[in-house]
Amino acid sequence: MPTYIAMLRGINVSGHKMIKMEALRVSFGALRLSNVRTYVQSGNVVFGVGNSSVAALSEKIEQRILRDFGFSVPVFLRTAKELEEIIKDNPFLKETAIDHSKLHITFLSDAAPKTALEALQPLAAKTERFRIIGRQIYLYCPNGYGRTKLSNTAIERKLSVGATTRNWKTVNTLLAMTK
């Protein structure tokens, strides 16, 4: 049975779209997803499910959240195998001067367009770096993610795709939860 990681966009931020993790686990369980576990309050869910299309599964989860909590939330799904590859492919890991606590990954709903680098470059501060690989943007924000202009909203506007970001510790913890 494949293991998936669901990352919900924009819940429990500044008192908006509040979902308790216990209620979220119950909601996922009602979809007959197995071994449902959550990590921190920002909407990270690890679960197992039989063969299912990612698009159909994502839609099913989004509809259940709307039904159970009364608001729409974008859901970004990756398999455990995909997440393992995403972590392994981080281009900044090969650099010794990189502070891992300043690494983030922005997960995109679709592959970034060919013009993504040119579109996002003006948003990056001089000390910030990013690399786009497939449906991920690897971010290095030495002054902190809270100060970057490479926010989810800015990326969504520039690239016309959905985006949600997780820090390096969270991404690695989610992968460990799949084992």
Side-chain angles (χ1 to χ4, degrees), residues 18-161:
M18 300 301 293
I19 301 176
K20 300 267 187 211
M21 293 302 99
E22 172 65 25
L24 187 60
R25 286 190 296 274
V26 169
S27 189
F28 270 62
L31 292 171
R32 297 181 185 218
L33 304 176
S34 66
N35 200 18
V36 177
R37 291 152 292 153
T38 56
Y39 176 68
V40 297
Q41 292 295 317
S42 58
N44 302 294
V45 186
V46 175
F47 61 92
V49 67
N51 290 334
S52 181
S53 102
V54 172
L57 184 57
S58 184
E59 176 67 22
K60 197 161 108 172
I61 293 168
E62 288 176 6
Q63 290 302 316
R64 185 69 193 209
I65 290 170
L66 178 61
R67 179 181 153 222
D68 289 354
F69 303 104
F71 47 80
S72 181
V73 174
V75 176
F76 297 78
L77 291 179
R78 299 295 190 270
T79 65
K81 184 176 179 176
E82 286 175 316
L83 192 61
E84 189 170 9
E85 288 298 314
I86 290 164
I87 289 170
K88 188 179 83 174
D89 290 345
N90 189 330
F92 298 119
L93 294 180
K94 297 174 181 109
E95 300 179 27
T96 56
I98 296 290
D99 177 356
H100 289 199
S101 71
K102 306 296 182 177
L103 287 174
H104 297 79
I105 300 179
T106 299
F107 296 89
L108 305 175
S109 58
D110 294 299
K114 294 187 187 309
T115 58
L117 183 62
E118 297 80 29
L120 296 179
Q121 194 63 55
L123 298 176
K126 289 182 182 182
T127 59
E128 294 175 339
R129 298 172 47 208
F130 67 94
R131 299 286 183 277
I132 304 165
I133 301 175
R135 295 186 300 150
Q136 285 71 233
I137 300 174
Y138 297 88
L139 298 172
Y140 179 60
C141 303
N143 297 323
Y145 181 75
R147 295 178 183 222
T148 188
K149 291 183 181 177
L150 289 164
S151 67
N152 293 325
T153 302
I155 290 169
E156 289 173 337
R157 281 191 198 126
K158 293 284 188 178
L159 305 184
S160 298
V161 297

